[in-house]
């Protein structure tokens, strides 16, 4: 059967993708950020997944204000890089895993979560930047990716508790898939940032690091944090952090198994006008 191998958490700042694509990773501003992912690149080579289930939010490319699914799973065979206004990123086309994606959709919907099934969509920086941070600039992404888009743009957005519970349902789905696959689940977005209004540029290091602490040691308690706390303390776009709870909910300790192993933790400010956080949690026997 398939199994969850690890969960990976990272910000998906669009400027990071631009820095990579334009060869700026060695510049003084960017070098400390990319150095924080050196371990991660080695780690993923030593712990290669067969499939990545990647939780992210669409930034008005696949969806618009005309149609906003709360949870959408990509079931296509491939997903092209979206044109976000300055041309698509020069990255490989994402190869999907339609069989596992369809199985997860079936299982999770039967566990009473309503998913939108998407058979055709482009994917934006929310998905491609995390892949670039972990894999660099390969000619092809090393494994299939299942995109899972969450609405954290237009209110109402899902609660942290809903996201954690969804992660638990995804774990059950993966474990009932009848192929021997190592699956990593990635939660992306955040950390604290606000892109508009009088508080544009807000970064809250204390909030971010407390979130990382609790994500590791107290995900159930963290899931009860109300939306207003994210907005007040982490900025209007800080609400993206609820997506990390989907990945955390899929880890074994929330299904009665031992606590995951913290393989890597990194935090850096700023990247553009955003705080960047990163964790790798490994399943333990």
């Amino acid at each position: 059967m398939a199994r969850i191998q690890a969960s990976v958490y990272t910000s998906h700042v669009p400027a990071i993708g631009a820095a990579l694509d334009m060869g700026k990773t060695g510049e003084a501003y960017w070098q400390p950020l990319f150095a924080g992912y050196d371990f991660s690149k080695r780690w993923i080579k030593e712990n290669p997944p067969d499939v990545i289930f990647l939780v992210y939010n669409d930034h008005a490319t696949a969806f618009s204000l005309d149609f906003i699914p709360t949870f959408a799973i990509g079931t296509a065979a491939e997903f092209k890089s979206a044109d976000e206004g300055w041309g698509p990123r020069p990255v490989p086309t994402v190869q999907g895993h339609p069989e596992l994606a369809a199985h997860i959709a079936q299982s999770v919907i039967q566990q009473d979560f309503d998913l939108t099934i998407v058979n055709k969509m482009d994917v934006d920086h929310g998905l491609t930047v995390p892949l670039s941070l972990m894999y660099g600039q390969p000619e092809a992404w090393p494994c299939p990716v299942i995109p899972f888009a969450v609405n954290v743009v237009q209110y109402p957005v899902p609660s942290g508790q809903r996201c954690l519970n969804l992660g638990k349902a995804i774990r059950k789905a993966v474990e009932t898939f009848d192929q021997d696959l190592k699956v990593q689940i990635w939660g992306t977005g955040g950390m604290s940032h606000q892109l508009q209004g009088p508080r544009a540029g807000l970064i809250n290091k204390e909030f971010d690091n407390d979130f990382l602490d609790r994500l590791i040691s107290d995900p159930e308690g963290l899931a009860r944090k109300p939306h207003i706390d994210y907005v007040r303390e982490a900025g209007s776009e800080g609400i993206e952090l609820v997506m990390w709870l989907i990945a955390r909910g899929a880890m074994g300790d929330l299904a009665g198994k031992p606590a995951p192993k913290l393989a890597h933790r990194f935090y850096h400010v700023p990247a553009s006008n955003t705080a960047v956080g990163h964790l790798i949690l490994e399943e333990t026997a």
Side-chain angles (χ1 to χ4, degrees):
M1 295 295 184
R3 62 194 184 280
I4 299 290
Q5 176 193 33
S7 53
V8 175
Y9 311 80
T10 183
S11 303
H12 60 212
V13 185
I16 293 175
L20 272 161
D21 301 341
M22 298 173 69
K24 295 180 179 290
T25 59
E27 292 185 359
Y29 181 86
W30 289 109
Q31 194 279 330
L33 183 143
F34 287 104
Y37 289 83
D38 287 345
F39 172 90
S40 308
K41 290 177 181 178
R42 295 191 300 270
W43 177 87
I44 205 161
K45 287 181 179 179
E46 296 168 359
N47 300 274
D50 297 311
V51 184
I52 295 168
F53 187 94
L54 201 153
V55 183
Y56 74 110
N57 62 291
D58 177 73
H59 300 81
T61 54
F63 311 114
S64 71
L65 293 181
D66 294 335
F67 176 69
I68 310 170
T70 301
F71 301 119
I73 186 168
T75 55
E78 67 175 27
F79 305 90
K80 294 181 179 179
S81 182
D83 184 346
E84 300 182 61
W86 48 85
R89 285 193 65 212
V91 294
T93 295
V94 171
Q95 302 303 312
H97 198 298
E99 296 83 5
L100 179 57
H103 172 82
I104 291 173
Q106 165 76 15
S107 175
V108 169
I109 289 170
Q110 289 298 309
Q111 294 178 69
D112 299 328
F113 285 90
D114 296 325
L115 305 185
T116 298
I117 296 169
V118 186
N119 294 313
K120 182 181 180 181
M121 68 175 177
D122 294 341
V123 291
D124 65 21
H125 72 268
L127 184 137
T128 62
V129 166
L131 290 173
S132 296
L133 283 168
M134 296 294 290
Y135 286 117
Q137 296 172 296
E139 293 186 5
W141 300 122
C143 72
V145 178
I146 298 173
F148 191 85
V150 180
N151 171 39
V152 289
V153 175
Q154 175 67 51
Y155 278 83
V157 304
S159 68
Q161 189 65 63
R162 183 82 169 152
C163 289
L164 191 78
N165 291 343
L166 175 57
K168 296 176 183 179
I170 291 167
R171 181 186 182 88
K172 290 181 181 179
V174 168
E175 291 181 333
T176 57
F177 188 63
D178 61 356
Q179 291 184 27
D180 183 18
L181 296 175
K182 295 174 292 185
V183 179
Q184 290 182 11
I185 181 165
W186 294 14
T188 74
M191 298 192 85
S192 62
H193 63 302
Q194 179 151 329
L195 302 180
Q196 70 287 310
R199 296 200 306 164
L202 179 149
I203 291 176
N204 187 337
K205 296 180 182 179
E206 182 178 356
F207 175 92
D208 290 340
N209 281 289
D210 178 70
F211 182 92
L212 293 173
D213 290 341
R214 296 184 67 191
L215 189 71
I216 296 166
S217 63
D218 183 27
E220 295 279 10
L222 183 60
R224 294 191 288 273
K225 182 183 287 291
H227 286 158
I228 190 61
D229 285 5
Y230 290 95
V231 176
R232 181 186 295 117
E233 299 181 46
S236 54
E237 280 70 43
I239 192 62
E240 290 180 354
L241 285 168
V242 298
M243 295 188 291
W244 294 30
L245 287 163
I246 297 177
R248 186 64 180 87
M251 297 303 288
D253 58 325
L254 300 183
K257 296 188 176 182
K261 173 188 174 184
L262 175 62
H264 185 51
R265 176 172 176 166
F266 174 67
Y267 181 76
H268 176 79
V269 293
S272 184
N273 56 354
T274 306
V276 171
H278 177 39
L279 290 177
I280 298 174
L281 299 180
E282 297 177 348
E283 280 282 289
T284 52

